[in-house]
Amino acid sequence: MLQIPTSTAKLSAKSAFDGTASYNLVKNVMPEIEWSIHAPYVEAIQALKRERNAVILAHNYQTPEIFHCVADISGDSLALARLAADTDADVIVLAGVHFMAETAKLLNPNKTVLIPDERAGCSLAESITAADVRDLRRQHPGVPVVTYVNTSAEVKAESDICCTSGNAVKVVESLNSDKVIFIPDEYLAAYVAQQTDVEIISWRGHCEVHERFSGEELDQYRNDFPGLTIIAHPECPPDVLEAADFVGSTAQMQEYVLTKRPPRVLMVTECSMSDNIAAGVSDVEFVRPCNLCPHMKRITLENIHDSLKSLAPQVLIDDQVAVKARLAVERMLAVA
Ligand code: 13P
Ligand code: SF4
């Protein structure tokens, strides 16, 4: 997967603090006055990371000062899961939402995994329980369950295999089944159903951020901004995906912009995506709208710092749940 050109950010985050070099990574999207508030935290976090032998994994929706200046690894849910499995750090800080931190813990049961704010949830994860999955299995005996990673460990534990937005079709087809139960995102399920002959039984979960976009709104943007390229996340409603020029996971959206360099682009997703790419790219005009994910935005430099200092809050998963949930995540990693 193509990484956004922030490898220098990742390197500098591990070495001694250089305020000018760090600010250079975000100066295209951040006034100096704002940087002056962030700089002391960036310096302190970098020192704490060395002290604790810690890594920070940041999702693509984190704000630029986190994404570019303190993260060691950044990416979509799939990349974070893969890279979490590989790290030799003692402590993992997940700058993202709770299900991502749980995935990191499942893959690193003996490491300390921190989530700087335990309230960083996800409307998709909230939309389904383990009992709901058991009910679905009773209604559709013998049909395998594919579960989007945006779910709790308890729900993963009731599943055959996990998937992300970046590998959903491949995972569904890997099961060699005529029919699968695909939970919990109804729109991602509809998008997958369009790409495969496998019959998809879906659930009624939605992402509260992506469901707010509409195809009508995008048509208006096309009228107002000639030459606009629209790229969307598959958690968006079907009319939005219909109106888009490209659909993909956050990493695939990022790769599209970095490789194709559309002169004008609208990224139909969370706001920080455009900011993080714009920080390193000057030949692309980013047209908003965007919607904020209130859960992702609970993570700040301040609570990353506090979490590294106190080694809390830690992510803990019941052993019996973890054994089964880990299997579902590992099966996914073995497929794609
Ligand atoms: P990605 O796996 O595409 O990064 O998506 C995660 C997510 O929560 C999007 O809303
Ligand atoms: Fe969940 Fe949507 Fe936020 Fe992603 S953007 S973490 S799916 S609420």
Side-chain angles (χ1 to χ4, degrees):
M1 179 194 322
L2 186 77
Q3 287 286 311
I4 193 169
T6 52
S7 46
T8 47
K10 314 307 176 209
L11 288 174
S12 72
K14 281 199 155 169
S15 49
F17 179 67
D18 177 341
T20 309
S22 284
Y23 180 53
N24 280 342
L25 298 166
V26 291
K27 69 170 193 247
N28 289 348
V29 290
M30 189 182 293
E32 233 172 314
I33 184 83
E34 187 185 335
W35 174 247
S36 66
I37 299 164
H38 297 315
Y41 282 109
V42 172
E43 181 170 14
I45 288 168
Q46 289 183 6
L48 276 169
K49 280 200 302 183
R50 288 191 292 275
E51 211 176 286
R52 302 287 197 202
N53 188 26
V55 285
I56 298 180
L57 271 56
H59 185 260
N60 289 328
Y61 292 164
Q62 292 299 296
T63 49
E65 68 279 8
I66 295 174
F67 184 91
H68 287 285
C69 301
V70 300
D72 300 283
I73 291 163
S74 57
D76 63 359
S77 310
L78 181 60
L80 296 185
R82 276 196 193 296
L83 296 163
D86 287 350
T87 181
D88 56 6
D90 297 318
V91 175
I92 297 172
V93 182
L94 207 305
V97 291
H98 197 266
F99 75 81
M100 296 174 177
E102 278 193 336
T103 305
K105 181 67 181 177
L106 289 172
L107 296 169
N108 294 277
N110 300 320
K111 292 188 199 294
T112 300
V113 176
L114 304 170
I115 176 87
D117 187 328
E118 287 179 295
R119 297 167 302 167
C122 170
S123 65
L124 280 167
E126 286 300 310
S127 74
I128 192 159
T129 64
D132 293 327
V133 187
R134 289 193 290 271
D135 272 356
L136 280 165
R137 281 202 190 271
R138 273 192 287 275
Q139 286 167 41
H140 305 281
V143 179
V145 176
V146 177
T147 294
Y148 194 29
V149 286
N150 297 40
T151 44
S152 65
E154 287 77 9
V155 166
K156 289 184 176 77
E158 298 293 334
S159 313
D160 293 285
I161 189 166
C162 287
C163 75
T164 71
S165 57
N167 63 15
V169 176
K170 211 167 164 186
V171 167
V172 163
E173 295 193 335
S174 75
L175 297 172
N176 294 319
S177 174
D178 297 345
K179 211 189 261 189
V180 304
I181 298 168
F182 187 99
I183 53 173
D185 187 344
E186 186 177 11
Y187 298 147
L188 178 61
Y191 179 68
V192 170
Q194 280 179 359
Q195 330 278 315
T196 180
D197 292 333
V198 179
E199 186 186 332
I200 304 286
I201 299 160
S202 61
W203 185 250
R204 51 183 177 275
H206 295 151
C207 162
E208 67 186 84
V209 177
H210 291 92
E211 73 176 350
R212 297 210 298 271
F213 295 105
S214 73
E216 207 178 313
E217 178 188 10
L218 299 190
D219 290 343
Q220 190 59 50
Y221 273 91
R222 273 208 205 276
N223 278 337
D224 295 349
F225 293 89
L228 185 64
T229 299
I230 298 181
I231 60 178
H233 195 277
E235 290 169 8
C236 294
D239 63 328
V240 170
L241 301 185
E242 189 72 26
D245 300 299
F246 174 77
V247 175
S249 76
T250 57
Q252 290 162 345
M253 293 170 86
Q254 176 183 291
E255 185 174 349
Y256 183 99
V257 175
L258 292 176
T259 54
K260 302 235 186 275
R261 301 282 172 147
R264 248 180 183 176
V265 70
L266 193 167
M267 302 187 87
V268 191
T269 190
E270 215 273 347
C271 302
S272 291
M273 276 285 296
S274 296
D275 293 341
N276 287 331
I277 301 175
V281 160
S282 52
D283 56 346
V284 177
E285 180 193 351
F286 291 86
V287 173
R288 269 72 170 180
C290 62
N291 286 323
L292 276 176
C293 173
H295 310 290
M296 288 280 179
K297 266 38 200 184
R298 284 194 182 276
I299 309 300
T300 62
L301 285 178
E302 189 175 356
N303 58 29
I304 290 173
H305 171 269
D306 293 352
S307 175
L308 268 170
K309 201 160 175 82
S310 61
L311 292 180
Q314 287 195 29
V315 178
L316 299 171
I317 305 171
D318 172 82
D319 283 347
Q320 279 183 328
V321 170
V323 168
K324 293 201 270 174
R326 184 177 304 119
L327 216 60
V329 174
E330 285 175 347
R331 282 194 190 120
M332 167 186 83
L333 294 178
V335 169

